[in-house]
Amino acid sequence: DGADGRARLHLVQLDIRRTIARFTVAGEPDLPAARALDADGRSLIRVPDRAGGPATVIDVRSARIVPAVD
């Protein structure tokens, strides 16, 4: 957690063993409950919020947060 109370997520590319993106998100990400999924040909990671807020969805290829998909 950052000083402002927001969580920081790091997207790590395991082949090169480096962080390729950092995200600051509101809420309490539940990393053990994170799931990989495919939607419209995109590889996504969906990270739910422990506090019941909206899930964070990360597009792995573009390394960006995208609107949530169900």
Side-chain angles (χ1 to χ4, degrees):
D1 289 335
D4 59 359
R6 294 169 41 136
R8 292 193 177 100
L9 301 177
H10 294 251
L11 181 61
V12 177
Q13 211 291 342
L14 295 178
D15 290 334
I16 61 173
R17 298 179 184 181
R18 290 189 189 167
T19 298
I20 58 172
R22 290 179 181 89
F23 307 100
T24 302
V25 297
E28 298 177 38
D30 188 2
L31 296 180
R35 299 288 177 250
L37 56 115
D38 290 320
D40 299 325
R42 297 185 303 176
S43 296
L44 306 173
I45 299 173
R46 184 177 187 279
V47 184
D49 186 335
R50 285 187 194 138
T56 301
V57 180
I58 300 169
D59 185 328
V60 176
R61 285 215 180 253
S62 68
R64 293 188 177 151
I65 293 178
V66 296
V69 295
D70 292 320

